[in-house]
Amino acid sequence: MPLFDDEFLKKLEYLSIISKRVFAGHFKAERRARRHGTGVEFADYRAYVAGDDFRHLDWKAYLRLNKLILRLFEEEEDLPIYFFVDTSQSMTYGSPSKLDYARRIAAALCYIGLANLDRAYVVTYADKIRSELPPQRGKGRIFKVFRFLEDVTPGGETNAREAFKTYCTEARRRGLAVVISDFMDPAGFQNGIDILRHFRHDIFVIQVTSHEEVAPVLKGELVLVDSESNLSREITVTPGVLAAYRAEFARFGEEFEAYCAKYQLGYLRTVTDYPFEELVLKVFRQGRFLK
């Protein structure tokens, strides 16, 4: 089955319409950052200093106070959206695979951003940045996003810290960073996200899991092989071992969710057979993706 068929496109248009209806009055044409400048929306006053623009003096205040007072205005500027898609080898696990699901989610959210005239970047990573689509704008560019995601080649170990550090130190503007991954990072999920926090991005993470990981159906004498490091371990799978694994897997998710709550990051956890359009609506309801 193709990743982005006609049915997928119909669902994208549905999501675009829903986003405009549900968030009418909350989300204007673009995500924006505000800073004091020469815009049209009044923000504050301050005392005049030599070199300030006389055009922004408040002459009524001068007549009342006999002081030169400058009017400050808010200036709007676009905030980009960065979509980071984990393409490490562990993302190929599951049916459907975590990577296929992640690509569909990235494409859907990117389409919504493009339809709202945001500037969208799509980046794949594993142990380093693997590929990057130049910034796109306007929903007609979604087909470039499709081709880029379809051409992704998975592989390699996960090192989000190194990948994000390399990317963020190349004079990137602050924006919304959407990270879609299983977060199975040997160094821990915090290390990569901490880099994005350090560079003051607004962060939304989507943790993708498969049913085979959440509730594995295994028993007996097995040799388990790590898909990224190729390390193997012989193990006897018993009901007790499976129960301990499920408890540890649940603890991992709870720890990740608590970390995101602590730093006020957007967070959703999903499984690969959950309808992607329902997940996108959940993202919207958190009120962080479009502002």
Side-chain angles (χ1 to χ4, degrees), residues 49-60:
V49 295
D52 284 336
D53 192 334
F54 274 102
R55 291 175 298 175
H56 300 306
L57 285 173
D58 189 325
W59 294 108
K60 290 183 180 179

Side-chain angles (χ1 to χ4, degrees), residues 89-102 181-184 206-217 227 245-246 249-250 252 269-274:
Q89 188 63 35
S90 68
M91 290 291 287
T92 63
Y93 191 66
S95 181
S97 75
K98 292 181 287 184
L99 179 57
D100 283 353
Y101 192 85
S181 171
D182 58 8
F183 295 96
M184 298 291 186
I206 300 176
Q207 183 184 7
V208 181
T209 64
S210 70
H211 277 295
E212 293 89 342
E213 291 171 330
V214 176
V217 182
S227 63
Y245 167 84
R246 286 193 292 268
F249 193 86
F252 171 68
R269 182 167 63 245
T270 187
V271 290
T272 55
D273 62 353
Y274 188 75

Side-chain angles (χ1 to χ4, degrees), residues 60-76:
K60 290 183 180 179
Y62 174 74
L63 292 174
R64 292 196 310 270
L65 305 173
N66 199 31
K67 291 182 180 179
L68 291 176
I69 303 294
L70 201 70
R71 291 167 59 91
L72 300 178
F73 296 86
E74 286 191 332
E75 192 171 82
E76 294 183 331

Side-chain angles (χ1 to χ4, degrees), residues 30-202:
E30 305 175 58
R31 284 184 63 88
R32 294 184 182 272
R34 293 183 178 273
R35 60 186 176 89
H36 287 169
T38 58
V40 295
E41 188 171 338
F42 173 72
D44 202 354
Y45 291 100
R46 70 166 171 81
Y48 172 83
V49 295
D52 284 336
D53 192 334
F54 274 102
R55 291 175 298 175
H56 300 306
L57 285 173
D58 189 325
W59 294 108
K60 290 183 180 179
Y62 174 74
L63 292 174
R64 292 196 310 270
L65 305 173
N66 199 31
K67 291 182 180 179
L68 291 176
I69 303 294
L70 201 70
R71 291 167 59 91
L72 300 178
F73 296 86
E74 286 191 332
E75 192 171 82
E76 294 183 331
E77 56 183 12
D78 299 347
L79 275 182
I81 307 178
Y82 301 99
F83 294 94
F84 293 99
V85 181
D86 181 357
T87 60
S88 62
Q89 188 63 35
S90 68
M91 290 291 287
T92 63
Y93 191 66
S95 181
S97 75
K98 292 181 287 184
L99 179 57
D100 283 353
Y101 192 85
R103 289 189 286 186
R104 289 167 74 86
I105 291 298
L109 292 176
C110 191
Y111 181 80
I112 301 302
L114 293 174
N116 283 278
L117 301 181
D118 290 309
R119 197 173 302 279
Y121 297 71
V122 186
V123 182
T124 67
Y125 74 96
D127 54 340
K128 58 183 179 181
I129 297 299
R130 291 300 182 93
S131 57
E132 178 183 356
L133 182 68
Q136 306 294 312
R137 194 172 190 181
K139 68 179 183 179
R141 311 306 288 267
I142 191 61
F143 295 100
K144 280 194 171 184
V145 175
F146 287 169
R147 288 192 292 272
F148 174 79
L149 290 171
E150 284 173 332
D151 291 341
V152 162
T153 301
E157 298 187 47
T158 308
N159 189 337
R161 178 181 178 83
E162 189 61 32
F164 294 163
K165 184 177 179 180
T166 299
Y167 190 82
C168 291
T169 52
E170 294 180 359
R172 309 289 178 177
R173 291 177 55 203
R174 287 191 304 112
L176 172 64
V178 181
V179 186
I180 310 173
S181 171
D182 58 8
F183 295 96
M184 298 291 186
D185 192 325
F189 62 79
Q190 302 98 327
N191 284 349
I193 303 300
D194 282 346
I195 292 294
L196 297 177
R197 287 181 48 241
H198 174 77
F199 283 92
R200 300 176 61 198
H201 290 289
D202 188 13

Side-chain angles (χ1 to χ4, degrees), residues 215-229:
V217 182
L218 301 172
K219 63 180 179 179
E221 304 288 335
L222 298 173
V223 177
L224 302 183
V225 181
D226 187 298
S227 63
E228 295 188 2
S229 68

Side-chain angles (χ1 to χ4, degrees), residues 15 23 109 204 267-270 274-289:
L15 290 170
F23 300 102
L109 292 176
F204 198 106
Y267 172 81
L268 281 175
R269 182 167 63 245
T270 187
Y274 188 75
F276 82 89
E277 63 271 26
E278 293 297 325
L279 182 71
V280 171
L281 291 176
K282 278 189 175 183
V283 173
F284 290 169
R285 291 185 193 112
Q286 287 211 6
R288 301 179 64 108
F289 179 68

